[in-house]
Amino acid sequence: MAAKTFPKQAKPTCSMFSMAASSAGPSNSNLVQHFINMGFHERLVTKAIIESGESNTDMILETILTYSVLEDSQQVDQNTCHGSSNQQQCVHDDELSSDYDDSLDDSEIDDFVCLPNGMSQSPNIVTICKFHFYAFAEIVKISGIDIYLVQENGNSLPDNENVLLSLASMGYAVEEVSEAMERCGPDASVVDLIEFITAAQMAKTEAVFFEEEKPKIFVNMELKRKQNQEALERNKKKGPLAEQDDVIRLPNPMIGFGVPSICSVVAYRTLPEAAIGPPFFYYENVALATKGDWETISRFLYEITPEFVDSKYFCAAARKRGYVHNLPINNRFPLLPLPPRTIHEAFPLTKKWWPEWDKRTKFNCLKTTYGSPKLTEMVRKAVEKCGDNPPDHVKKYVLEECRRWNLVWVGKNKVATLEPDEVEMILGFPRNHTRGGGLSRTDRFKSLGNSFQVDTVAYHLSVLKNIYPDGMNVLSLFSGIGGAEVALHKLRIPLKNVVSVELSEANRDIMKSWWQQTDQKGNLVHLADVQKLDPHKLDKLIKSVGGFDLIIGGSPCNNMAGSNRVNRDGLEGEQSSLFYDYFRILETVKIIMNRRN
């Protein structure tokens, strides 16, 4: 479908326009006029003010946007099925993929503007609303958002300039687009770049609550063009994405050397002589780190190939991780009783309210962030307006938000975010493990989001039960809230001595509280900083405990995670470079213990 082109003489400008206000409506005519001047229809403005009151402009704007989405989408369906008087062409959702329409040819796009549906079709306005985009021609589906792209003229540009100009005219900062093009490579599609930028924007902020952005109005197209040209010149000097930054090819299914529900496909493996324990070691990080990062990790850890496992085979949530270790792989066994493996097993009371069109059985990876009440209210309104069987476009919007924020259905048309104690259960921690001690709800989510999935780790560590029936000495690096210690305890492996190294005081307090509550008989030593754990301190620790049987931990993934599109510097990043301290400490312990033996 060819993009509709503006006439040359009607080239868009970025000035705001005014519409005559009707005399009918709420008492505050200035408030009505304010939203009319933003381009919304007076009927929707009046309706929203009556429902939301005149005191909260943010709530009025949110209500107007919600009405616009539902009403305009229904109008699109009607125009498609029965014909439209203005001959505007519409596209059914089922003609598109779930993410985007890949029929769009980036090389044919010049400049684009986006108009919320229902606003003036005059080419003299450019208004961009992140919540929902509408205009006259091509449509792209990205994360549940409809983006209609309108071609300004037929002139062609080189592909990279074309894409940059297109994204800039959508309102993305030139620096963000440049970063995305550098990271994603020259062949990345518009959709890939937008997903990259959106993830980067989420990674930049430390705010935990999800906030829908207010409509943004961009008012200087000539300045945008100048910035585009400057960014293009910088891009030409940077070159393509380095080969070592490619994403590693992950196995499918991601079961490593086997999981309880699927028979092992590998019966044995050969380890390099330098890697053979004791001490045993176990290192974890995100599976979606780059190929180059995993090759570096493997090279430093004695050329051992990572074991990639998705925790969805152990619990009700996906958690794709890579594990490098020298543990035996035979005679593994799972923790009993087996934890819930599906959402409905974990939360049976949700079945009553779960719509048949929501086919989720697993949560996505549990994050350090969670959805806001504002988001769940918007979802409720979107579903409630449509009755028991919402149209496809509403279903897609709702499902995108449910998947992104792991929402559950808790009432008729009502969704909610998971609570911290529910996340604890899914990740295999005891109830109230992170509760109390001055920790806020935000702190609890952050600590849990950075932790091990206990059942997965316990399955791998289960081989140690017969090797150390009388207990173990453990050096736990980046120990967080004690996922490794909880796993060993659930396996009924006595913890004789645990040296836990964790920077977060809150996490250290959680670990200390668990140690006391479970009446551990061994000794717990807390240290704060792995970088200060030098050979002298290690020698003293080894002398005091008699050596370590297991060195376990996962260095920070901040600079390696696929969701971090801003500071994804891999193992050279400020936090993730602490991997080298894991290796340094492991190698030092091996040298000291060999010398003592």
Side-chain angles (χ1 to χ4, degrees):
M1 179 176 70
K4 187 172 181 178
T5 305
F6 281 127
K8 288 286 187 176
Q9 64 273 21
K11 185 175 181 179
T13 65
C14 297
S15 59
M16 287 300 296
F17 72 101
S18 298
M19 296 177 63
S22 170
S23 58
S27 59
N28 191 341
S29 60
N30 290 335
L31 183 62
V32 175
Q33 188 65 42
H34 170 72
F35 288 105
I36 291 176
N37 288 343
M38 292 177 64
F40 297 107
H41 195 281
E42 181 181 358
R43 176 175 53 80
L44 293 181
V45 174
T46 303
K47 186 177 180 182
I49 292 176
I50 291 173
E51 178 173 326
S52 305
E54 299 183 3
S55 59
N56 191 333
T57 56
D58 287 343
M59 182 60 71
I60 294 170
L61 179 58
E62 176 189 326
T63 305
I64 293 172
L65 291 172
T66 302
Y67 285 152
S68 297
V69 172
L70 297 175
E71 186 172 289
D72 294 338
S73 298
Q74 290 168 0
Q75 184 63 41
V76 168
D77 290 342
Q78 293 172 5
N79 290 345
T80 304
C81 299
H82 305 295
S84 174
S85 60
N86 62 6
Q87 300 300 313
Q88 177 177 333
Q89 187 170 2
C90 302
V91 182
H92 275 300
D93 285 334
D94 59 7
E95 295 173 358
L96 305 169
S97 69
S98 60
D99 295 319
Y100 60 94
D101 179 5
D102 59 6
S103 65
L104 185 64
D105 184 356
D106 293 346
S107 64
E108 297 177 359
I109 302 173
D110 183 18
D111 293 325
F112 292 88
V113 295
C114 304
L115 299 172
N117 200 17
M119 295 182 64
S120 169
Q121 295 184 4
S122 166
N124 294 320
I125 172 173
V126 178
T127 303
I128 300 180
C129 171
K130 186 174 181 180
F131 180 83
H132 216 78
F133 295 96
Y134 283 95
F136 314 120
E138 294 284 4
I139 178 172
V140 179
K141 296 289 286 186
I142 301 175
S143 299
I145 301 174
D146 295 346
I147 300 179
Y148 283 79
L149 303 176
V150 180
Q151 188 173 13
E152 180 186 341
N153 57 55
N155 297 336
S156 61
L157 291 172
D159 285 352
N160 59 342
E161 296 186 16
N162 215 333
V163 172
L164 193 150
L165 290 171
S166 300
L167 292 176
S169 64
M170 291 180 195
Y172 294 104
V174 173
E175 291 301 329
E176 290 179 322
V177 179
S178 299
E179 177 72 15
M181 294 177 71
E182 178 188 1
R183 293 282 184 169
C184 295
D187 298 327
S189 68
V190 172
V191 174
D192 291 335
L193 295 174
I194 292 177
E195 291 286 8
F196 185 107
I197 295 170
T198 302
Q201 291 171 342
M202 293 175 62
K204 279 183 178 179
T205 179
E206 295 180 358
V208 175
F209 292 100
F210 176 81
E211 296 283 351
E212 288 291 341
E213 289 191 11
K214 298 179 181 179
K216 298 178 180 179
I217 300 173
F218 300 95
V219 296
N220 195 330
M221 185 67 77
E222 291 304 318
L223 178 60
K224 284 285 182 184
R225 290 182 184 278
K226 183 178 179 180
Q227 292 173 338
N228 290 343
Q229 293 301 327
E230 293 173 353
L232 286 174
E233 292 301 320
R234 289 193 294 271
N235 282 343
K236 290 177 182 177
K237 299 177 181 179
K238 292 181 178 179
L241 189 69
E243 181 180 353
Q244 64 268 23
D245 289 335
D246 291 344
V247 176
I248 194 168
R249 187 181 297 275
L250 296 172
N252 186 17
M254 198 182 298
I255 60 172
F257 298 129
V259 295
S261 58
I262 302 178
C263 295
S264 175
V265 294
V266 179
Y268 65 93
R269 64 171 177 167
T270 302
L271 292 172
E273 184 176 353
I276 297 176
F280 291 105
F281 66 86
Y282 186 88
Y283 174 82
E284 178 255 21
N285 216 311
V286 291
L288 293 177
T290 65
K291 179 180 179 182
D293 285 337
W294 275 116
E295 288 176 346
T296 299
I297 292 171
S298 178
R299 184 168 65 252
F300 272 80
L301 296 180
Y302 315 106
E303 302 291 349
I304 297 177
T305 301
E307 179 179 7
F308 292 107
V309 181
D310 190 337
S311 292
K312 70 180 183 179
Y313 298 105
F314 293 87
C315 68
R319 203 173 189 81
K320 298 178 174 65
R321 296 292 186 267
Y323 305 91
V324 182
H325 61 84
N326 63 346
L327 298 169
I329 62 173
N330 291 321
N331 302 318
R332 291 173 167 178
F333 59 88
L335 290 175
L336 296 176
L338 294 176
R341 302 289 183 89
T342 67
I343 295 175
H344 287 157
E345 287 178 3
F347 306 106
L349 296 180
T350 65
K351 289 183 180 180
K352 178 179 179 181
W353 308 112
W354 207 273
E356 60 86 21
W357 44 268
D358 186 347
K359 303 297 184 182
R360 289 178 298 153
T361 60
K362 302 278 187 179
F363 292 115
N364 284 340
C365 187
L366 301 175
K367 304 177 182 179
T368 57
T369 57
Y370 53 95
S372 71
K374 182 177 180 180
L375 168 68
T376 57
E377 177 65 7
M378 290 175 69
V379 171
R380 182 190 67 79
K381 287 182 178 179
V383 178
E384 200 170 64
K385 298 292 183 183
C386 303
D388 294 334
N389 188 26
D392 288 344
H393 62 270
V394 174
K395 292 178 182 177
K396 286 188 176 183
Y397 161 69
V398 171
L399 288 175
E400 284 289 344
E401 300 302 338
C402 287
R403 292 188 183 103
R404 181 180 301 161
W405 299 103
N406 289 318
L407 306 179
V408 292
W409 297 90
V410 296
K412 185 174 177 59
N413 301 327
K414 288 175 60 179
V415 294
T417 58
L418 295 171
E419 292 298 321
D421 58 334
E422 295 171 331
V423 177
E424 287 173 344
M425 180 265 290
I426 294 172
L427 293 178
F429 288 94
R431 186 177 179 85
N432 296 326
H433 184 72
T434 60
R435 189 178 183 183
L439 264 74
S440 66
R441 189 167 182 259
T442 298
D443 293 333
R444 294 179 70 187
F445 275 110
K446 184 176 180 181
S447 295
L448 288 163
N450 289 322
S451 70
F452 284 148
Q453 203 290 319
V454 172
D455 300 276
T456 307
V457 173
Y459 184 67
H460 295 160
L461 299 180
S462 62
V463 297
L464 298 174
K465 185 173 178 63
N466 291 332
I467 300 176
Y468 299 101
D470 298 326
M472 300 178 62
N473 294 329
V474 179
L475 176 56
S476 179
L477 305 177
F478 318 101
S479 55
I481 57 176
E485 291 79 359
V486 172
L488 291 168
H489 175 70
K490 285 190 170 185
L491 289 167
R492 301 186 182 280
I493 299 177
L495 298 173
K496 295 194 297 184
N497 295 284
V498 173
V499 176
S500 173
V501 190
E502 169 56 38
L503 189 61
S504 166
E505 182 178 1
N507 288 345
R508 294 199 301 270
D509 288 342
I510 292 172
M511 175 69 172
K512 181 180 178 181
S513 177
W514 172 83
W515 190 269
Q516 296 169 342
Q517 291 171 1
T518 53
D519 195 26
Q520 297 292 327
K521 305 302 181 184
N523 301 310
L524 173 64
V525 177
H526 261 134
L527 301 175
D529 193 345
V530 294
Q531 293 181 303
K532 295 181 180 179
L533 198 54
D534 57 30
H536 177 68
K537 290 182 179 179
L538 285 169
D539 189 48
K540 289 181 64 177
L541 288 169
I542 290 172
K543 188 178 297 183
S544 65
V545 304
F548 292 109
D549 304 306
L550 174 66
I551 301 171
I552 189 169
S555 57
C557 65
N558 306 50
N559 309 116
M560 300 172 68
S563 60
N564 185 354
R565 304 292 188 169
V566 177
N567 300 315
R568 195 180 186 188
D569 301 320
L571 293 175
E572 303 309 313
E574 182 179 357
Q575 289 83 28
S576 294
S577 62
L578 292 174
F579 158 75
Y580 297 107
D581 286 285
Y582 177 93
F583 167 73
R584 173 184 61 82
I585 293 169
L586 170 62
E587 190 68 8
T588 303
V589 169
K590 288 169 66 72
I591 292 172
I592 294 174
M593 289 181 60
N594 287 337
R595 186 182 66 217
R596 289 173 62 85
N597 291 336

